[in-house]
Amino acid sequence: MRGLRTVWLTAFLLLCAVPALAQDGQIEGSVIRDDGAGVGGVTVVINELGKVEITGGSGAFAFRGVPAGSYTLSYSLGDNADSGEVEVGAGETATVEKTVDWDVSFADTITVFSASRRRERIAEAPAAVTVITEEQIERESTHGQLPKLLEFTPGAEVTQSGVYDFNFNSRGFNSSLNRRIKVLLDGRDPSVTFLSNQEWSSLTVPLDELASVELVRGPGAALYGADAYNGVINMTTKSPADSTGGSVRLTGGDLSTLRGDLSASGALGGNWYGRLNAGYLESDDYARTRLDLNGNGVLDVPAEAEYPGLNVERAPLAQDQNEGTWGNVRVDRDFGGSTLSLETGYSEFEAGGAVVTGIGRTQFSTSERTHFRFNFNTQHWNVLGYHNERENPVLSLGTGAPLFLDSDNDHIEVQGNVGFGGGKGRFIGGASYSEETFDSTLPAFGVQSLVFSKVEEDFQGVYGQLEYAFTDKVKGVVSARYDESSLWDSEFSPRAALVFSPNPNHNFRVSYSEAFQSPNYSEYFLNVIVAPPVTALAGFEFALCAPFGVQCGLAAVPVKALGNPDLTVEQVETIEVGYTGVLGRKAYLTVDYYDSTLENFLTDLISPFNPTLGFINPAFGPYAAPAGIPEPFRSILEAGVRGAVPTMTNDPLTGLALISGATYTNFGDVDTQGIELGLNVYLTDDLKLDVIYNWFDFDVKEQLAADPLLANAPENQYGFSLSYIADKYDVSGKYRHVDGFEWAAGVFRGPVPSYDLVDLTGSYRINDRVAVGINISNLFDKNHYQLFGGDLLERRALGHIQFSW
């Protein structure tokens, strides 16, 4: 692909340009306490230059491109302040270590990146954001499931439909293959190209290699483009230079689970650093066969029904065990002021479970994924490029038909930033370009299984953000993005926020934002059989087509579900008010209220003729007889066929008769509102209490009777956790309640009863080299399902032992 050539060419040009970037000096430093622990969230200013940086969780900071000279550094956090001197030589690195004796709360030191695409204190972010820190990830990583890290956080809607099948959402209107939250791993989008959903089992790094996981709630298209509809999950892995050493972790437990993870990082010489990750997994699954080979609409073995109302299927599960392997290699080059990262990864996952989709359950035979990523970063510039490939045979359990997914995509993005006004203002701007291809040709037969022909599309966008501190207490943020695509009309996505901080411990904000979600390739281009062929029109074939030597395809007409290339994007507008506060230096409180308007909903598959809208898919118009049939026989044939089957149309490739059994359209407007609350309290230095509460409400303004709109989300969700964290061991118990709600997504429609879950996590460090841990999900083994059509979930207990060096 030309996109892949662009990525590699850019990487080469960057490598050639790097030596020219190391002319000025730089300052690298850290802010630490008396005990050597880093202090995050500290604002560091070069007074003479007006340059500003925020220390990360380890207390580290860096200034690039600093002219030679003497400078004064100012340090501040809340009510605390200090200063120091530093001398910078031409082309040299000045190292600073600032020790402070400050009394700061834990919340003061937490920083985030995703809300503004730059590092800032979480208490000053202009959006609702949650961060899972490196320490918390390491404590909870036994389960190996990334969505579960966010399960007990404000605003999170986590629905599990299988052992490794999760849907992650926020702020309502979930679906079986949800894509309303954009997910990035080191800037790379790992979603499945055809459906735009996440395949959580195919991540090529273990959880404990993540440095942070951030969830930004609310529309994020102004900075992140399409599909940042309800928010963004931004995951960052540890850099090889900051995590030298290695570990081997062995995990085992329920469902015959066996997992091994290897991680190793270190210096390679010449300012090169490397990291290697590899892993293997096998386990049983919760999934059960829902077989109806007799075709009578009931299970062949009624006793196997998991719960009432499930759709029956025509094919059994092809395998009942999950098995996966993965590997990832990353190398970084430090150029003294800039860093180049090169990474490649591979994963192969054979699913023993089923994936719930809008057209029924499917089972992935073997999903193979590869990726390459490069990232070049300086203080003011960031260039990112990546290439993803995925190949996956699929079995449709509902019909028994074999399917195939073969896709690749390329992406390149350039972002720059500059400060102004003596550190009061900052501008961030960037541009991106992507290409995607998708092919569903069955290797054994040479025919397409999901679309009519190979799909090739492109996407491009530009964005910018301007923020300015009008006073010490008031900050304004304005951002916007313009996106174009070969699939949909251009979109403009603005966002504006005003942040008021009466003092460093309290933050009030109000914001307005817009975002959009693009239809996926299935909704645009779907072409699958959904019913047996219709033979009732064979008389037309023999009487009006055969005599003229023309084949019309009326002897056995296929009935298909068809995509709609005339779909438009879904849109959301949100007004939000929020508060974050540090209470008594021992508690951190966040409260957010949002009011949203959602428009242009994409329907599930419905009849192509609707009493309200008429024919809803203009790409497949009324049946047209072949040109080889003369008049008046041509008109007689068309009138007869259209009268008998109004949804008869033509195959766009062959021209033969085709019945449109179902298709998609845009229709529906909804108002939503909600409250998200999070409270973190350190009861003692070692004992921490976390409380969450989410309230959600919606009001349907317009919908189709054939496709009633349901939020697929609970009205109330709440929970709490209690964690004891000591030097050698930690233990955590979590409780979560979810109200019952109605579910409707594709062919799966039914109630989801309320459920209450308790999870238990603990670890013990035997010495500096050996640690053990345990995670028990659903401690009291309450059988339940979290989306209608999903598996019946049970308790799962896992334990691990880890050897580190």
Side-chain angles (χ1 to χ4, degrees), residues 484-604:
E484 287 185 347
S485 170
S486 56
L487 282 173
W488 29 264
D489 293 336
S490 60
E491 287 290 324
F492 178 73
S493 306
R495 184 184 75 163
L498 189 66
V499 182
F500 171 61
S501 303
N503 62 57
N505 290 328
H506 299 278
N507 175 313
F508 299 87
R509 58 184 167 76
V510 60
S511 65
Y512 171 83
S513 53
E514 298 181 14
F516 67 100
Q517 174 179 277
S518 168
N520 61 33
Y521 289 133
S522 175
E523 291 157 340
Y524 274 125
F525 305 117
L526 185 66
N527 172 34
V528 295
I529 298 289
V530 292
V534 173
T535 59
L537 303 180
F540 287 104
E541 180 79 25
F542 301 132
L544 295 173
C545 299
F548 301 103
V550 175
Q551 183 180 2
C552 298
L554 293 168
V557 186
V559 182
K560 293 188 172 184
L562 300 173
N564 184 349
D566 288 338
L567 294 173
T568 60
V569 301
E570 297 185 38
Q571 296 172 317
V572 60
E573 299 179 14
T574 296
I575 296 175
E576 185 173 339
V577 293
Y579 164 78
T580 60
V582 179
L583 311 177
R585 299 194 180 276
K586 291 292 185 180
Y588 177 64
L589 174 67
T590 67
V591 183
D592 297 280
Y593 170 80
Y594 60 88
D595 187 289
S596 301
T597 299
L598 289 66
E599 298 178 338
N600 296 331
F601 271 89
L602 286 166
T603 66
D604 286 321

Side-chain angles (χ1 to χ4, degrees), residues 100 108 159 212 327 353 547 648 659 760:
V100 296
D108 284 331
T159 53
S212 69
M648 185 76 73
I659 294 176
L760 181 66

Side-chain angles (χ1 to χ4, degrees), residues 92-360:
E92 298 180 355
T93 300
T95 302
V96 177
E97 184 175 272
K98 183 66 176 178
T99 302
V100 296
D101 183 19
W102 291 348
D103 181 18
V104 297
S105 74
F106 71 97
D108 284 331
T109 66
I110 299 175
T111 61
V112 295
F113 176 85
S114 308
S116 302
R117 282 192 180 240
R118 74 171 185 88
R119 186 158 302 284
E120 59 192 335
R121 292 176 61 229
I122 190 172
E124 298 172 350
V129 58
T130 299
V131 59
I132 308 297
T133 64
E134 180 178 333
E135 294 77 15
Q136 183 178 347
I137 294 170
E138 291 178 351
R139 290 196 302 268
E140 300 182 10
S141 59
T142 302
H143 52 66
Q145 308 274 45
L146 190 137
K148 290 187 71 65
L149 289 176
L150 292 160
E151 193 172 28
F152 292 85
T153 60
E157 297 169 7
V158 180
T159 53
Q160 184 177 3
S161 57
V163 176
Y164 303 105
D165 188 19
F166 290 83
N167 292 296
F168 190 95
N169 191 37
S170 182
R171 303 189 175 183
F173 289 89
N174 201 353
S175 67
S176 52
L177 292 171
N178 185 67
R179 60 184 190 280
R180 296 187 186 277
I181 299 285
K182 189 155 194 169
V183 178
L184 300 173
L185 175 60
D186 288 331
R188 182 176 65 89
D189 182 352
S191 62
V192 177
T193 299
F194 182 60
L195 298 167
S196 300
N197 66 301
Q198 295 302 319
E199 195 173 31
W200 300 106
S201 59
S202 295
L203 297 179
T204 57
V205 293
L207 292 190
D208 57 357
E209 280 297 309
L210 295 175
S212 69
V213 177
E214 298 179 11
L215 168 62
V216 182
R217 306 187 299 278
L223 289 179
Y224 293 96
D227 300 335
Y229 188 89
N230 281 343
V232 176
I233 292 177
N234 189 28
M235 300 174 284
T236 305
T237 60
K238 301 174 184 177
S239 72
D242 295 334
S243 57
T244 57
S247 67
V248 172
R249 173 179 290 205
L250 302 176
T251 304
D254 285 341
L255 295 176
S256 302
T257 299
L258 177 63
R259 174 173 177 148
D261 290 289
L262 167 68
S263 298
S265 301
L268 304 177
N271 290 326
W272 285 92
Y273 297 86
R275 184 185 70 206
L276 168 68
N277 299 115
Y280 172 80
L281 165 71
E282 64 177 47
S283 76
D284 295 337
D285 206 276
Y286 295 130
R288 302 181 190 175
T289 291
R290 303 169 184 172
L291 200 58
D292 170 30
L293 292 179
N294 298 319
N296 57 8
V298 297
L299 290 175
D300 293 344
V301 184
E304 292 182 353
E306 296 153 272
Y307 45 92
L310 290 173
N311 302 66
V312 295
E313 298 168 344
R314 302 291 292 174
L317 293 166
Q319 65 265 350
D320 59 6
Q321 188 177 59
N322 300 286
E323 185 174 8
T325 57
W326 57 89
N328 192 86
V329 176
R330 170 177 166 178
V331 292
D332 288 4
R333 174 65 160 88
D334 184 355
F335 291 97
S338 58
T339 302
L340 174 69
S341 297
L342 301 173
E343 176 187 274
T344 186
Y346 171 83
S347 70
E348 179 178 308
F349 191 80
E350 183 173 353
V355 175
V356 177
T357 75
I359 60 174

Side-chain angles (χ1 to χ4, degrees), residues 752-776:
V752 177
S754 65
Y755 55 90
D756 298 87
L757 299 177
V758 175
D759 289 0
L760 181 66
T761 301
S763 65
Y764 178 72
R765 287 161 290 285
I766 299 172
N767 53 45
D768 292 340
R769 303 292 186 184
V770 182
V772 294
I774 188 171
N775 175 268
I776 305 176

Side-chain angles (χ1 to χ4, degrees), residues 7-25:
V7 169
W8 280 102
L9 177 60
T10 304
F12 174 75
L13 292 175
L14 288 171
L15 283 170
C16 294
V18 160
L21 298 174
Q23 302 304 313
D24 287 328

